[in-house]
Amino acid sequence: MGFFDSEIVQQEAKQLFEDYQALIKLGNSYGKFDREGKKVFIEQMEAMMDRYRIFMKRFELSEDFMAQMTVEQMKTQLGQFGVTPQQMFDQMNLTLQRMKTELEKQP
């Protein structure tokens, strides 16, 4: 069975995408959140990044041809912006850390 034939993989990919889209939509109102709301949002984004990192690691570790092609496509797409997958995750984490720092400064 191929990597993408797995119902578990398909469901996780679907759920990850839907959760990410919902968080991004919610994030458009981030400036209107109170302190606790911002804290929860940051925690949810951190959890999302952890889930995404694990999901991508599954692709990398899979011997399935299509999974490997997906990894290479992602590397190519990010490479067009001069970024590696690790740099993308590092930048996301840096952004979340900055958000936390700003939150700590608020009364």
Side-chain angles (χ1 to χ4, degrees):
M1 175 165 62
F3 188 80
F4 291 102
D5 295 331
S6 167
E7 192 173 317
I8 293 169
V9 170
Q10 291 175 18
Q11 183 58 37
E12 178 60 19
K14 180 179 182 285
Q15 194 63 53
L16 194 59
F17 179 76
E18 289 173 359
D19 291 350
Y20 179 76
Q21 292 296 327
L23 267 178
I24 294 302
K25 186 176 180 180
L26 184 64
N28 290 331
S29 300
Y30 181 81
K32 299 175 186 174
F33 297 167
D34 64 11
R35 182 177 168 79
E36 193 59 32
K38 289 178 180 180
K39 183 178 176 185
V40 169
F41 178 80
I42 292 168
E43 289 170 355
Q44 289 178 346
M45 282 300 293
E46 288 174 328
M48 175 65 61
M49 291 300 102
D50 287 343
R51 285 175 55 203
Y52 188 67
R53 190 180 345 264
I54 291 167
F55 193 71
M56 289 310 299
K57 189 53 87 175
R58 283 185 186 151
F59 280 88
E60 292 172 15
L61 295 175
S62 174
E63 295 179 8
D64 181 77
F65 176 75
M66 290 306 295
Q68 290 300 311
M69 286 300 297
T70 300
V71 170
E72 290 306 313
Q73 286 176 340
M74 185 177 96
K75 287 179 181 178
T76 299
Q77 289 172 350
L78 290 173
Q80 292 174 348
F81 299 101
V83 178
T84 67
Q86 185 59 50
Q87 289 171 323
M88 177 190 73
F89 283 116
D90 291 346
Q91 186 60 46
M92 289 178 180
N93 284 330
L94 184 60
T95 298
L96 290 171
Q97 289 304 317
R98 286 182 186 146
M99 291 168 75
K100 282 182 179 179
T101 299
E102 283 299 313
L103 189 57
E104 290 170 2
K105 291 179 183 177
Q106 290 181 355

